[in-house]
Amino acid sequence: MSIQIPRGTQDILPGTVEKWQYIEKVAKELCEQYQYKEIRTPMFEHTELFERGVGDTTDIVQKEMYTFQDRGERSLTLRPEGTAGVVRSFVQHKLFGQVNQPVKLFYNGPMFRYERPQAGRFRQFVQFGVEAIGSDDPSIDAEVISLAMELYTRLGLKKLKLVINSLGDTESRIAHKEALINHFKPRINEFCHDCQMRLEKNPLRILDCKKDRDHELMATAPSLANYLNAESSAYFNKLQHYLTLMGIEFEVDSNLVRGLDYYNHTAFEIMSSAEGFGAITTLCGGGRYNGLSEDLGGPSAPGIGFALSIERLLSALDAESIELPAETSLDCYFVTMGEQAKDKAVELTYKARKHNLSAEMDTLNRKMKAQLKSADRLKAKFVAIIGENELSEGAVVVKNLESGTQENVPFEQLFDYLTQS
Ligand code: HAM
């Protein structure tokens, strides 16, 4: 039996990879306009980074990490997300000392989570994300959210829903945590094992539990919105003010808590509201993480960012029947008849490529008709036909496949002709 791809992963073949390249190009251009610079961090990190960064009570850390011992018996983990690694790098390389602050970074690369594969959920997926570290001003929260919205809009998506919430600052969160513990504690034995474990450490996560979601205490649980102190409310109001100034529509959902521990203040998600998108509608998630740098041994450096997977973006494009422009092009296909013509084509194809043209020739010794068909399939702009006559005349027949016109072009003028036409 032939070997198959592991569950939850996919091969991205020519024909589809062009869509990925197009999205990556648009995302990169957008980051240039917004002044975010690319960062590349390793695909595996010390396991402790995610335990401390993402949080050891989260589903990601408890159930979804690809963790292994290397030959030196270190515990390493394939990164389940990008933020922890980026902030680790920010601290390690002392980017907080750079003149330009805040430090605005973007990344695009594979992440790994041992989740149950289904539509829109993979075990290896590619996240495009940004992190702005070093400012705790709500205008940068608005900027980060606008960047995510702008990427989707530029690619043509219309059926988008932006949901925001405030998780408050530490003081608000402690007050809310206490209220949650008091609320659930008397009847915690009616909840699942995970929830019982979460009660003291991270009771907010109980609200996210899928098993116990219908328990009557869920609906009556104290809402964080009622525990925000004046500063946190002012911060959240300012963010909403900025989004309104930008003309970005949003909904406030006080139940949006997100599945990672490092968040405070702003949390947001962007969903697809397209019909037929499937059960998982979240395209993008992000938020503010003011304590993460300190948790990882760095100085105080407030940050905000988001990540979105290209896989879900592509599904959303499909659900809205949006075709991305396919940018395949071939300037010239060399059609040959006979061995000497082939010699000439080997030389001319090589030289054409040196002249920055995209060029192709037959390497299967096929008949002329089959070669012309290939040129057509590859959407060549020109075919250059070389036979015995052409060799003796020192010129090539160049046919423009778009207009149907053809001309005899001397070999030495060929590249100028192809470049200028
Ligand atoms: P997250 O909500 O865990 O946040 O993931 C962000 C996005 O990654 C999701 O909205 C979804 O598009 C995509 N995603 C997650 N898991 C999968 C999967 N199994 N298959 C396909 N796509 C998936 C984070 O990762 C945070 N680091 C985001 C962030 C950056 N917060 C601040 N900065």
Side-chain angles (χ1 to χ4, degrees), residues 60 80-84 107 113 115 120-127 129-131 152 258-260 262-263 269-270 282-289 304-312:
I60 294 183
E81 59 100 57
T83 312
Y107 51 90
R113 294 186 194 176
E115 291 194 87
R121 190 190 283 154
F122 296 87
R123 290 184 170 168
Q124 174 176 328
F125 54 98
V126 173
Q127 274 189 347
V130 312
E131 312 293 347
Y152 289 132
R258 312 253 319 115
L260 302 92
Y262 46 61
Y263 292 120
E269 284 187 354
I270 301 170
T282 305
L283 299 179
C284 168
R288 180 160 275 287
Y289 44 86
I304 171 136
F306 72 76
L308 59 89
S309 70
I310 312 290
E311 288 81 355
R312 286 195 197 164

Side-chain angles (χ1 to χ4, degrees), residues 285-305:
R288 180 160 275 287
Y289 44 86
N290 288 353
L292 185 55
S293 168
E294 281 154 301
D295 289 345
L296 299 180
S300 157
I304 171 136

